[in-house]
Amino acid sequence: MRRNHPAGRLPEPPSPIADDGDETHFCRTCAFSGACIAEGYGKPELVELHCLVEHVGPFHAGEHIFRTGDPFRSIFAVRAGTVKTSMVDPAGREQVLGFYLPGEVIGLNAIYPDQFPCDAVALDTAYFCRFSFPAMSALATRMPAVQQRLFRLISKELGMATLLAGDHNADVRMAAFLTDLAARYEERGFSGTRFHLSMSRGDIANYLRLAAETVSRVLSRFRQQGLIELEGREMVLRDPERLRAIGKNLLPQ
Amino acid sequence: MRRNHPAGRLPEPPSPIADDGDETHFCRTCAFSGACIAEGYGKPELVELHCLVEHVGPFHAGEHIFRTGDPFRSIFAVRAGTVKTSMVDPAGREQVLGFYLPGEVIGLNAIYPDQFPCDAVALDTAYFCRFSFPAMSALATRMPAVQQRLFRLISKELGMATLLAGDHNADVRMAAFLTDLAARYEERGFSGTRFHLSMSRGDIANYLRLAAETVSRVLSRFRQQGLIELEGREMVLRDPERLRAIGKNLLPQ
DNA sequence: AATCGCGCTTGACGTATGTCATCTCTGCCG
DNA sequence: CGGCAGAGATGACATACGTCAAGCGCGATT
């Protein structure tokens, strides 16, 4: 069967990177930047927040940021690249928990068990800000905006996990996945209609609790229906509104 | 088909109630009691924690504790009774999010959206401690143990939601559900092998993302296999270890 | 006592999606 | 250049679970 787009590769999408921070300013897209803005720049606490940050990386595709069972000491904000978190269930099957883009935070689910309950693997070259969690907690007790930010980050992640746990068919899951990804790219200032999928079909399938073959079939059908353009891992959303409508049952609001 | 247990009703299980708290002591089973113990009793902050508690109830079966969209001002610790939380998706289908026993806390998923994303309904007569969340946050900034407790409570809920989102068959889901329920009853000092199911088969099915008929069939099979005894909603776990083994893929650790 | 409604169970059947197998394409490496 | 491995697409088939339907038991209402 012929592909329904003209010959030739799609143009390169912009590369998502959020590393515009320095010693005294956060990356604009960082999940913690709101804490600063809320308090006003220049406060002495801000300097402290920066002091407890450590820049780490690069991690290359396939490298672990942390592993299941590692003692929980830090959370990580993605500065550049994409991360997959996953756990291996007692039957030895991998379960993908999430994908994380620049500006997002990984490691929050380690607070309760006090050790990482999952692996985090770079899907492409990735850089991070590492925040010592004890230090951040201590800071949070003096800086209500930081505490608020942490509560909201965890609570938001809880909301996402809840939605994914719902009972939805393959089309809904796939459309919601694409819409969510697009919204997150857009939120961070990247294109919300044109992006690179850093993860394999198998990872997407696993994340959505589908078989890889089902993901292939749904994507093929979406392409036939003119909802998307897709060549390899280069994605163009041709009809974001219909995608949103299809996935609405699984989307917030 | 004949039931495989002798004639006559099962004996009444003990009624789960956790209301042994007073003005200066928390209920032993309360999720917040740890915060006190960690700090040592008698500190002035403890009195403050008690000051921001308001006892509410009774709510009778079917009554709402809060509704979707209500502004988020408080979280609730269950003192007695059982609660179901659920959201209605855009297609109008109910999705049960969880069941909460005495000592457990509801409302944490409202922090991020700043309004309740779900309904909370009493399944039997229920009493609560209501904690003003702003007051509790403020207290948390002065009392690291309270902050820690809140972080851990939300993070734990995140872990549970993640497990439920996994891809597991009906037997695994049902066995894990029963094992988890038993563990939570036991943790609070009630029998972990003999308890009353306050929720309908339909609610269980919805929570586990199965059809009510499937729940009936699985329970019937578990009964035939001698794993459980069940009459109406009175449950006896006859082989908790095998149930745990069946559900292990979905259980923490 | 008769009626009704609801929760629950059980059987028959349909279907969405998983599983297995094959094929293509691409990139990598000797 | 040839061979190989892995990702992805697609078709054929299997199955777990949902849906539909019938029937039972029990408590509430009249």
Side-chain angles (χ1 to χ4, degrees), chain A residues 176-197:
Chain A
F177 172 71
L178 294 175
T179 303
D180 174 58
L181 255 192
R184 286 155 63 197
Y185 273 123
E186 198 149 60
E187 200 178 319
R188 310 295 177 178
F190 310 115
S191 167
T193 55
R194 194 180 201 90
F195 45 85
H196 176 82
L197 297 172

Side-chain angles (χ1 to χ4, degrees), chain B residues 21-44:
Chain B
D22 59 22
E23 291 308 307
T24 48
H25 294 87
F26 280 92
C27 310
R28 278 186 326 249
T29 57
C30 174
F32 291 110
S33 64
C36 318
I37 291 160
E39 290 294 287
Y41 283 94
K43 286 211 167 192

Side-chain angles (χ1 to χ4, degrees), chain A residues 169-179 197 204 208 210 215 218-219 222 235 243:
Chain A
N169 68 27
D171 283 25
V172 172
R173 300 182 101 89
M174 194 69 220
F177 172 71
L178 294 175
T179 303
L197 297 172
I204 297 174
L208 299 177
L210 301 168
V215 165
V218 172
L219 286 175
F222 280 5
M235 172 67 74
L243 281 172

Side-chain angles (χ1 to χ4, degrees), chain A residues 94-206:
Chain A
E94 180 183 15
Q95 302 262 311
V96 174
L97 303 187
F99 303 106
Y100 295 83
L101 310 181
E104 300 179 333
V105 177
I106 60 176
L108 295 167
N109 55 355
I111 297 174
Y112 166 66
D114 208 42
Q115 57 179 7
F116 289 101
C118 60
D119 294 347
V121 179
L123 292 177
D124 40 33
T125 303
Y127 296 80
F128 301 88
C129 290
R130 176 160 68 195
F131 296 84
S132 152
F133 191 72
M136 191 141 202
S137 295
L139 181 59
T141 62
R142 276 172 298 134
M143 223 180 144
V146 171
Q147 184 190 86
Q148 163 92 342
R149 181 66 39 170
L150 281 168
F151 282 145
R152 288 168 59 92
L153 277 174
I154 313 175
S155 184
K156 185 175 189 177
E157 192 120 342
L158 173 56
M160 286 298 295
T162 303
L163 285 174
L164 191 65
D167 169 41
H168 307 283
N169 68 27
D171 283 25
V172 172
R173 300 182 101 89
M174 194 69 220
F177 172 71
L178 294 175
T179 303
D180 174 58
L181 255 192
R184 286 155 63 197
Y185 273 123
E186 198 149 60
E187 200 178 319
R188 310 295 177 178
F190 310 115
S191 167
T193 55
R194 194 180 201 90
F195 45 85
H196 176 82
L197 297 172
S198 343
M199 66 296 287
S200 69
R201 303 287 193 273
D203 282 342
I204 297 174
N206 190 315

Side-chain angles (χ1 to χ4, degrees), chain B residues 8 20 24 30-31 42 61 82-84 88 122 139 144 157 159 174-175 200 231:
Chain B
D20 55 325
T24 48
C30 174
T82 315
V83 177
K84 168 182 88 169
V88 178
L139 181 60
E157 192 119 342
M174 194 69 222
S200 69
E231 184 174 336

Side-chain angles (χ1 to χ4, degrees), chain A residues 36-105:
Chain A
C36 317
I37 292 160
E39 290 295 287
Y41 284 94
K43 286 211 168 192
E45 286 87 351
L46 259 196
V47 177
E48 294 190 59
L49 189 46
H50 274 286
C51 287
L52 58 85
V53 175
E54 189 187 346
H55 284 196
V56 296
F59 292 82
H60 298 288
E63 289 179 0
H64 280 71
I65 295 87
F66 52 76
R67 287 173 190 275
T68 302
D70 285 356
F72 173 60
R73 286 195 264 269
S74 313
I75 57 179
F76 298 80
V78 182
R79 292 178 65 219
T82 316
V83 176
K84 167 182 88 166
T85 55
S86 64
M87 47 195 299
V88 177
D89 76 16
R93 299 176 309 176
E94 180 183 15
Q95 302 262 311
V96 174
L97 303 187
F99 303 106
Y100 295 83
L101 310 181
E104 300 179 333
V105 177

